[in-house]
Amino acid sequence: MAEPFVVQPRPRRDPDPAAPGDRGDPAAPAGQLGALTPYLADPGVTDLFVNGATGLFVDRGDGPRPDPAWRASEREVRELATALIARGGRHIDDATPCVDVRLQDGVRVHAVLPPVATSGTALSIRIPRLRGADLDALCRGGSFGDDARRWLVQIVRERENLLVTGAAGTGKTTLLGALLAHAPAHERIVTIEDVAELRIAHPHHVSLEARQANLEGAGAIDLARLVRESLRMRPDRIVVGECRGEEVRELLTALNTGHDGGAGTLHASGLAEVPARLEALGALAGMDDHAVARQVCSAIGYVLHLERSPDGSRRLASVGRFTDTGGRLGIEPVAPWREAA
């Protein structure tokens, strides 16, 4: 019989040995994240990282910090990864060593097995703490001001096509979900994601999720195909949760053929880097720089760029509009809510 996890999560500051589920209670039942479940009770935790037997790192908004109380062997971490991926409806093994899944309440788990992860099984867990956050809540939290909030509502209702950019953990998905909640109730929103994370307070939201290949290597459905399938579903708005490959071609084509009010997200560390990122993705789809510039300038109305401060706060740092300069894609910063005032 396999030995149980040798895991000692950090105790609460005021532990209550009699309280069920307390971090100091070794008999606490395993929950959604197994031995990591107690960290869900800490509202400050946004990310958990397990690096094989090396240790656990916890991010409470100020960057990952090691937890000296964590103890687990490589075998135990691998078993935890296998269980979590299975709970998300997928499988991970030597033939499929890198898998990403979404669990209940939007918790996202990414796992990589050795030898791809050279230091042992690597687990990266994203815990969404702003479930169902709306624009008012984001405004109160300091993400943007009242003028910007009113402008954001306006461009959604005017069916502007939007691209939300930022580095990992800046709140791109949260902002996009809050924006789409302001789409008219009679519109049909189809969202396409590698792992379904978008939560939209809207009565007509259809979510499509990519699928990895089965054990025989068949049955995979990628984002590019899902974008094409969505066009047959009579959507009013098409949203791609994260453009990271050739699906950018299908998205731009859809947004240029009457599907206004669509949106997508893109990883970029700064507003000025967005054009280069799109050119790189366009190249993967067989598009040259001139084609990317023409398609993007025609398809995307505004770029909303987010940043995360060292203290963990997230904000709308800048807004941009694309330009076509001699056949090359460029971008210029704008502040439309200030200009309107």
Side-chain angles (χ1 to χ4, degrees):
M1 179 181 296
E3 297 179 359
F5 281 83
V6 184
V7 178
Q8 300 173 10
R10 178 162 60 189
R12 295 174 179 168
R13 293 178 181 176
D14 298 311
D16 180 2
D22 187 274
R23 289 182 184 174
D25 179 7
Q32 182 183 0
L33 296 182
L36 294 170
T37 297
Y39 294 90
L40 289 173
D42 186 340
V45 174
T46 61
D47 295 89
L48 298 169
F49 306 98
V50 183
N51 304 330
T54 305
L56 167 69
F57 288 75
V58 182
D59 190 343
R60 292 179 171 84
D62 57 352
R65 299 284 189 270
D67 188 333
W70 172 268
R71 298 290 185 274
S73 69
E74 163 58 23
R75 177 185 61 80
E76 292 164 341
V77 175
R78 181 174 178 129
E79 289 177 356
L80 176 60
T82 301
L84 293 179
I85 295 301
R87 191 165 296 167
R90 294 186 176 182
H91 66 273
I92 187 168
D93 54 25
D94 291 339
T96 311
C98 307
V99 183
D100 199 17
V101 298
R102 174 183 53 84
L103 304 183
Q104 183 181 357
D105 294 333
V107 174
R108 183 167 178 172
V109 178
H110 181 265
V112 184
L113 299 181
V116 178
T118 59
S119 60
T121 300
L123 269 172
S124 305
I125 300 173
R126 173 74 54 81
I127 303 171
R129 291 303 184 185
L130 293 174
R131 299 182 179 93
D134 56 21
L135 290 181
D136 289 337
L138 294 176
C139 183
R140 290 192 299 271
S143 295
F144 38 76
D146 288 330
D147 291 341
R149 180 190 59 78
R150 285 190 290 270
W151 174 77
L152 290 170
V153 173
Q154 176 185 333
I155 61 174
V156 171
R157 291 177 176 170
E158 292 178 350
R159 299 181 61 80
E160 290 280 2
N161 292 331
L162 305 174
L163 184 64
V164 183
T165 64
T170 54
K172 298 185 294 297
T173 300
T174 299
L175 175 60
L176 185 53
L179 289 169
L180 292 170
H182 289 272
H186 66 270
E187 293 185 351
R188 177 174 168 88
I189 302 173
V190 178
T191 61
I192 299 153
E193 300 173 89
D194 187 42
V195 176
E197 292 182 289
L198 273 167
R199 298 290 183 272
I200 306 173
H202 191 276
H204 200 167
H205 170 212
V206 179
S207 175
L208 303 180
E209 184 178 73
R211 186 176 72 185
Q212 70 180 60
N214 59 22
L215 292 174
E216 287 73 37
I221 300 177
D222 61 14
L223 294 181
R225 177 178 171 183
L226 288 180
V227 173
R228 295 192 296 271
E229 295 294 335
S230 72
L231 296 174
R232 302 182 177 94
M233 301 171 68
R234 222 214 74 180
D236 292 297
R237 297 175 188 252
I238 297 176
V239 178
V240 177
E242 182 179 338
C243 293
R244 63 177 68 185
E246 63 179 287
E247 67 275 1
V248 70
R249 175 183 55 208
E250 280 74 21
L251 176 63
L252 292 174
T253 300
L255 298 182
N256 274 313
T257 54
H259 291 87
D260 294 330
T265 66
L266 180 77
H267 274 279
S269 58
L271 188 66
E273 298 178 6
V274 174
R277 287 280 291 127
L278 285 170
E279 287 180 344
L281 296 182
L284 294 175
M287 303 170 65
D288 61 27
D289 293 343
H290 291 264
V292 170
R294 291 194 300 271
Q295 290 282 315
V296 170
C297 288
S298 176
I300 306 296
Y302 291 98
V303 179
L304 310 177
H305 186 73
L306 304 176
E307 291 181 355
R308 179 178 176 179
S309 302
D311 63 1
S313 61
R314 298 160 174 82
R315 65 186 183 92
L316 177 60
S318 53
V319 176
R321 297 204 68 145
F322 288 113
T323 61
D324 185 341
T325 306
R328 292 297 302 274
L329 185 64
I331 195 167
E332 60 181 11
V334 296
W337 58 90
R338 298 194 187 99
E339 294 167 5

